[in-house]
Amino acid sequence: LQGPRYVSPAPNGGFVVSEECGDVKVFMSSHKLLCSLSSKYGHRFGNPAGVCVDVDGSILVADEQRRTVHLFPEHGAPICLVSSGLRRPAGMACSSFGHLFVADAGDNCVKVFK
């Protein structure tokens, strides 16, 4: 890993890690690298920060530089879930009720999205 920042468990026993170098890596339960989101989806991150995995197994990534949150489904193209209202998104968490919690260090608060 190159400058690991945030980590989240994945439903399959693996985990997801954001890196300072501008990528997000997905690891299997055996701790072997499964994929890089930049390579798999052809997505360019500004500065990936918080990561979490929803109940469907999709990976969500907060981009601190671009002030967005993207969802990366197992199959299909990335989807921008939050494109405005964030100043400096950092840590994130997904609830089993469909809520997304984003710690916004730029506004000193936690923002909740459904």
Side-chain angles (χ1 to χ4, degrees):
L1 294 169
Q2 295 180 14
R5 299 187 70 201
Y6 292 85
V7 62
S8 174
N12 62 2
F15 58 98
V16 179
V17 181
S18 62
E19 297 179 302
E20 283 182 359
C21 69
D23 203 355
V24 175
K25 302 277 177 66
V26 182
F27 292 86
M28 300 183 294
S29 60
S30 64
H31 304 150
K32 290 186 179 182
L33 179 65
L34 178 64
C35 70
S36 149
L37 293 187
S38 293
S39 297
K40 180 177 179 179
Y41 293 93
H43 184 84
R44 291 184 52 98
F45 293 100
N47 189 15
V51 292
C52 63
V53 181
D54 69 11
V55 294
D56 298 322
S58 297
I59 299 168
L60 289 87
V61 180
D63 193 318
E64 194 175 49
Q65 181 181 353
R66 296 194 171 140
R67 301 176 180 168
T68 59
V69 174
H70 277 80
L71 179 139
F72 296 85
E74 191 172 342
H75 304 289
I79 300 164
C80 184
L81 294 181
V82 182
S83 60
S84 63
L86 296 174
R87 291 184 57 201
R88 202 172 84 208
M92 292 194 316
C94 299
S95 80
S96 56
F97 299 107
H99 291 94
L100 173 65
F101 302 92
V102 181
D104 191 337
D107 276 338
N108 295 315
C109 65
V110 174
K111 296 179 178 173
V112 182
F113 301 91
K114 180 148 177 75

